[in-house]
Amino acid sequence: MKIIVIGGTGLIGSKTVAILRQGGHEVVAASPKSGINTITGEGLKEAMAGAQVVIDLANSPSFEDKAVLEFFETSGRNLLAAEAAAGGPAPCRAIHRRNRPDARQRLLPRQGRPREN
């Protein structure tokens, strides 16, 4: 199975890549260091070709609310576009810590946050 690990050279990503490779998977450790950049889109389409799973472990280079939001919005848009250009979305996508209680606080500024339903 071909698995793309966005942030695959970082602290968590590199460990994830090693575990997946030990399991016999074809793993692409995607990061700007490897020529795959989710912000600029560089190398994304080629990396996504034939992928069954995308694991997004990327982290914003800044923790300022606006910068974090812009990072994840841009990265997410570029990932979806690259998946579509490569022949459709990967059937499975995982985003690290998206369900943590503090994730919403880290991704959205306090003012103008949508109300919870």
Side-chain angles (χ1 to χ4, degrees):
M1 175 183 305
K2 182 176 179 183
I3 301 172
I4 309 300
V5 179
I6 305 298
T9 61
L11 179 66
I12 297 169
S14 60
K15 293 175 183 177
T16 302
V17 166
I19 291 167
L20 292 169
R21 285 183 176 152
Q22 286 174 353
H25 298 287
E26 175 190 352
V27 182
V28 176
S31 74
K33 292 177 188 176
S34 68
I36 302 167
N37 190 317
T38 62
I39 299 301
T40 66
E42 176 188 3
L44 278 176
K45 180 181 173 186
E46 297 80 11
M48 293 289 177
Q52 285 86 26
V53 177
V54 176
I55 301 172
D56 188 352
L57 300 174
N59 202 3
S60 174
S62 168
F63 292 109
E64 187 269 320
D65 284 345
K66 184 179 178 192
V68 170
L69 186 60
E70 288 175 2
F71 174 85
F72 285 108
E73 284 179 339
T74 302
S75 179
R77 254 192 318 272
N78 287 341
L79 283 169
L80 290 173
E83 288 174 359
C92 178
R93 177 184 308 178
I95 302 173
H96 175 63
R97 293 199 277 178
R98 73 169 181 221
N99 293 326
R100 282 184 49 176
D102 67 341
R104 185 174 177 79
Q105 292 173 342
R106 296 178 85 191
L107 293 177
L108 296 174
R110 292 201 182 281
Q111 297 172 325
R113 203 181 278 168
R115 290 183 353 171
E116 299 280 335
N117 291 332

